[in-house]
Amino acid sequence: MNFHQEPITFVAHVHLKVGQLERSLSFYKEILGFQVLRQTGQTAHLSADGQKTLVTLEQIEGAVPKTYPTTGLYHFAILLPTRADLANVVNHLLQKGVRFGSSDHLVSEALYLSDPDGNGIEIYSDRNDTEWNWQDGQVEMTVDPLDFSDLLAEAGDKQWTKLPSQTVMGHIHLHVAHLGEAEHFYREGLGFDVVCRFGDQALFMSSGGYHHHIGLNTWAGVGAPPLKEKNAGLKKFSIQFPSEAARNKVVEQLQKIEAFISKEGQVYLTKDPSGIFIELRVK
């Protein structure tokens, strides 16, 4: 099943603040394989298929590095269409001398790295959803070592030059100030289901039975302050709804829980309890 198209509600896009746009573009094009869809002034829109924007980079005048601990981005996750694509990325990163982490999550296999401004990035491929283990509405996920020997056996002969056109924004994982408040907002307001809990410090939420479209954690500390306007980091991210009716229902839910919400043109904007801005979009 495709968990990133209608009728699923999913994270479609992230908008990042960066210190030096050209430095960031070099990384996102040469290391990750994005293509520039369009560039205007201090903003660049990056795509995998040449049609839809997955990542927006915006250079902030007088930007200062990300501070820690703060709420905001833990990482955004690029979902590749096949395991062979992930194997090819491993070889590419090794050839480029890029340091990265890795993990086997049972539902997926993942690589972890950061961009020049310290924005966390996950690159992953999913295992077939028929292999995911569900019990009482909870999906089993863990943090196991990645079997590189087995993964690299999938690598093809072609060198990595760009992201496959079927690449999507797989999920986003956020540092939040208070897990209970965040869970209430994302569940009762935005309508996502809790599908996995890691003790009292992290949980994962999704739409349509995915392993997660949104991760939330308090690993930056309970009560962590929001990112400042001039800090590099996450400016906002976008959730895509399958229909206007689905989005209107969520707008009503957000109003019911008294969350911040505004509308500009055809886009609604809300803000979670940790000060993270979210665009509500319909394709």
Side-chain angles (χ1 to χ4, degrees), residues 13-73:
H13 163 261
V14 297
H15 187 141
L16 305 175
K17 300 179 290 181
V18 300
Q20 298 177 32
L21 183 60
E22 290 305 317
R23 179 185 65 178
S24 295
L25 282 175
S26 294
F27 174 86
Y28 280 88
K29 290 190 296 182
E30 297 171 16
I31 303 302
L32 299 185
F34 277 98
Q35 56 185 292
V36 177
L37 187 58
R38 65 183 184 277
Q39 183 174 348
T40 55
Q42 303 301 309
T43 303
H45 303 269
L46 308 182
S47 175
D49 64 2
Q51 298 180 37
K52 62 179 178 292
T53 300
L54 298 180
V55 177
T56 296
L57 303 174
E58 181 182 351
Q59 179 174 309
I60 303 299
E61 294 303 324
V64 295
K66 287 183 67 174
T67 54
Y68 190 86
T70 54
T71 60
L73 187 68

Side-chain angles (χ1 to χ4, degrees), residues 52-260:
K52 62 179 178 292
T53 300
L54 298 180
V55 177
T56 296
L57 303 174
E58 181 182 351
Q59 179 174 309
I60 303 299
E61 294 303 324
V64 295
K66 287 183 67 174
T67 54
Y68 190 86
T70 54
T71 60
L73 187 68
Y74 180 51
H75 63 246
F76 67 89
I78 303 164
L79 173 58
L80 302 175
T82 71
R83 191 170 189 247
D85 293 318
L86 187 66
N88 289 337
V89 171
V90 170
N91 284 329
H92 170 69
L93 294 178
L94 291 173
Q95 290 169 4
K96 289 287 186 179
V98 176
R99 297 182 64 181
F100 60 91
S102 63
S103 188
D104 184 332
H105 296 303
L106 299 182
V107 295
S108 63
E109 295 171 290
L111 311 176
Y112 295 93
L113 65 162
S114 296
D115 76 3
D117 289 280
N119 293 305
I121 302 166
E122 176 181 343
I123 308 172
Y124 75 111
S125 64
D126 277 333
R127 287 195 168 93
N128 193 295
D129 61 308
T130 60
E131 301 177 37
W132 304 349
N133 183 30
W134 290 84
Q135 290 191 359
D136 300 323
Q138 300 282 297
V139 66
E140 184 181 5
M141 292 196 289
T142 189
V143 184
D144 289 338
L146 188 62
D147 186 341
F148 279 99
S149 295
D150 187 66
L151 175 61
L152 291 175
E154 299 273 347
D157 296 330
K158 293 183 179 179
Q159 282 196 332
W160 179 267
T161 57
K162 63 180 181 179
L163 288 167
S165 60
Q166 303 96 329
T167 299
V168 297
M169 185 63 62
H171 62 265
I172 193 167
H173 195 159
L174 303 167
H175 288 300
V176 297
H178 300 280
L179 200 60
E181 290 180 357
E183 177 182 343
H184 179 72
F185 173 85
Y186 285 93
R187 187 184 67 222
E188 303 300 330
L190 293 180
F192 287 95
D193 302 313
V194 177
V195 293
C196 185
R197 295 183 186 273
F198 278 15
D200 61 356
Q201 294 186 337
L203 60 84
F204 300 87
M205 313 184 81
S206 77
S207 164
Y210 192 48
H211 56 70
H212 68 294
H213 292 107
I214 295 175
L216 306 169
N217 73 67
T218 54
W219 298 333
V222 175
L227 198 70
K228 294 181 180 179
E229 187 175 349
K230 287 293 186 180
N231 282 136
L234 180 67
K235 182 173 183 177
K236 58 186 175 182
F237 70 95
S238 301
I239 294 174
Q240 185 166 307
F241 294 87
S243 67
E244 192 70 48
R247 183 173 66 172
N248 288 342
K249 179 182 178 182
V250 163
V251 169
E252 291 176 2
Q253 291 170 180
L254 290 167
Q255 292 170 336
K256 186 176 180 179
I257 66 170
E258 300 182 343
F260 167 85

